[in-house]
Amino acid sequence: MNASEAVQPVVHAWQGLINAYRAWMPAVTSRTPVVTLHEGNTPLIRATHLSGLTGCEVWLKVEGANPTGSFKDRGMTVAVSKAVEAGTEMLVCASTGNTSASAAAFGARAGVRTVVLVPKGAVALGKLAQTVQYGAEVVELTGTFDDCLRVARELAAEHPVALVNSATNDHRLAGQQTVAFEIVDVLGDAPDLHCLPVGNAGNITALWRGYTAYEKAGRASRRPRIWGFQAAGAAPLVLGRTVEAPQTVASAIRIGNPASRDGALAARDESGGQISAVSDEQILAACRLLARHEGVFVEPASAVGVAGLLAEHAAGRVPAAQRIVITVTGNGLKDPQASIPEGYHSLETSTATSDVARALHLTS
């Protein structure tokens, strides 16, 4: 058989979350115009180094592989599709960066005016650059994310605009729950434990919703324990109170009053899990570990679940031989400055190959 006679593989192209999981999104109907960037279907990678450290089977759900580089695209495809169906002429959101980039991208895709409200000086440049390049209008408020969300809600209540924050838009949660579907579809069942960062708490709420839906439908035999982790300087769910001036290098979760607080606490309690805090030092160490040992480059907030798992393991609270999934939520290019706060070391040589070899100790 020559090459021209060889059997050609059948390739089913991924068409985005709505087409893949439409049956799990009752609000999406045949009348809904699907606005998609083919989000979802992100890699689930066996974390060899982390598995060895913990004595467990650890997997990384790499959400930075979504079109705008974060998990936010999962919910945004549904929220913007429904907003377009309703005839909205303007999208608005409050953001620490990733939501604004995602809303701007899907707004551009839909041809809808998009306005983002962000805390002035508190958004990583990579995320801001995305938002601007997609053509969204950026409004910087002299306050916190919580102020931005309050204003966004008030704008939506008083004007004909669609608010696409997950805390106030159930369509966002419907899209974000699909991360649990994908994990079960790949592994064949839910893991024993799922770790992830917690900021405004929409993601942990949606994750638990997804696992619950699959278990009820018989697609999974169980639901995992959910371990959420916050940055120590922005840990309102751990402290049990609002943090008025949250501070952490993990800007994506620099939130002092989570809008989806109730959903997060329900996920914790119903799963028999926990929500704990880790330091900025632990977060940055986890970033380095992921990059150097797993080949996965994430922004600081995305490493929080890894930092938390390692802290719990060091304290002797992670049983051996568990199957564990960790959501790493955003690409490291979102916030490269935070990844190397003290700069970097390099070797400098002439253009002679012999000089490069000597610098690398390949020759004497």
Side-chain angles (χ1 to χ4, degrees):
M1 179 182 292
N2 59 41
S4 63
E5 296 173 330
V7 176
Q8 296 298 311
V10 177
V11 177
H12 299 285
W14 179 260
Q15 297 294 319
L17 290 178
I18 291 177
N19 285 324
Y21 294 107
R22 184 184 291 267
W24 302 89
M25 303 174 192
V28 176
T29 70
S30 59
R31 298 184 302 276
T32 306
V34 177
V35 181
T36 180
L37 290 167
H38 293 191
E39 60 296 315
N41 197 28
T42 55
L44 184 63
I45 299 173
R46 175 70 180 265
T48 306
H49 185 72
L50 282 170
S51 296
L53 286 178
T54 60
C56 294
E57 178 188 321
V58 182
W59 297 80
L60 302 173
K61 186 60 169 165
V62 186
E63 289 293 271
N66 275 299
T68 74
S70 87
F71 76 96
K72 301 289 187 177
D73 295 345
R74 289 184 180 274
M76 203 60 70
T77 181
V78 185
V80 173
S81 294
K82 291 299 293 182
V84 171
E85 181 182 3
T88 189
E89 296 184 358
M90 190 176 98
L91 309 174
V92 65
C93 73
S95 179
T96 55
N98 282 328
T99 298
S100 64
S102 186
F106 282 86
R109 184 76 170 171
V112 177
R113 180 186 179 192
T114 304
V115 175
V116 304
L117 310 180
V118 299
K120 183 175 176 61
V123 175
L125 186 58
K127 302 172 189 179
L128 192 58
Q130 283 184 284
T131 304
V132 171
Q133 194 72 356
Y134 290 133
E137 298 169 59
V138 179
V139 181
E140 294 185 303
L141 277 62
T142 54
T144 66
F145 167 82
D146 302 310
D147 295 313
C148 294
L149 183 57
R150 173 183 54 80
V151 173
R153 283 172 158 166
E154 291 171 357
L155 286 174
E158 299 170 10
H159 302 279
V161 301
L163 180 59
V164 293
N165 280 95
S166 60
T168 55
N169 190 313
D170 192 63
H171 302 313
R172 282 278 306 278
L173 298 182
Q176 286 176 207
Q177 71 177 336
T178 59
V179 71
F181 301 164
E182 289 182 12
I183 290 165
V184 174
D185 288 344
V186 171
L187 296 181
D189 205 344
D192 299 300
L193 174 64
H194 193 125
C195 303
L196 75 166
V198 179
N200 209 32
N203 203 25
I204 188 173
T205 300
L207 179 76
W208 184 239
R209 173 171 160 173
Y211 279 127
T212 298
Y214 250 33
E215 184 199 36
K216 286 182 177 179
R219 299 290 291 269
S221 67
R222 62 188 181 190
R223 294 178 292 176
R225 285 170 291 127
I226 303 295
W227 283 6
F229 297 96
Q230 299 193 290
L237 297 179
V238 179
L239 297 172
R241 58 174 173 77
T242 297
V243 177
E244 297 296 339
Q247 295 294 326
T248 173
V249 68
S251 61
I253 57 172
R254 193 184 292 146
I255 295 169
N257 186 22
S260 297
R261 176 189 302 266
D262 291 345
L265 297 180
R268 179 197 67 187
D269 296 343
E270 292 172 17
S271 74
Q274 65 174 15
I275 298 177
S276 306
V278 289
S279 69
D280 279 4
E281 291 75 19
Q282 290 172 305
I283 293 169
L284 292 175
C287 280
R288 289 190 294 272
L289 181 149
L290 283 172
R292 296 175 185 181
H293 295 285
E294 306 292 1
V296 178
F297 182 33
V298 300
E299 65 170 310
S302 300
V304 169
V306 174
L309 176 65
L310 292 174
E312 292 298 304
H313 178 262
R317 292 191 286 265
V318 179
Q322 296 278 288
R323 173 176 277 184
I324 301 170
V325 173
I326 309 173
T327 303
V328 287
T329 48
N331 193 288
L333 294 175
K334 293 278 193 173
D335 193 0
Q337 294 90 340
S339 299
I340 48 172
E342 299 175 358
Y344 64 95
H345 171 72
S346 66
L347 300 173
E348 185 174 341
T349 78
S350 74
T351 58
T353 302
S354 58
D355 286 344
V356 176
R358 274 192 292 273
L360 295 174
H361 305 292
L362 298 176
T363 61
S364 58

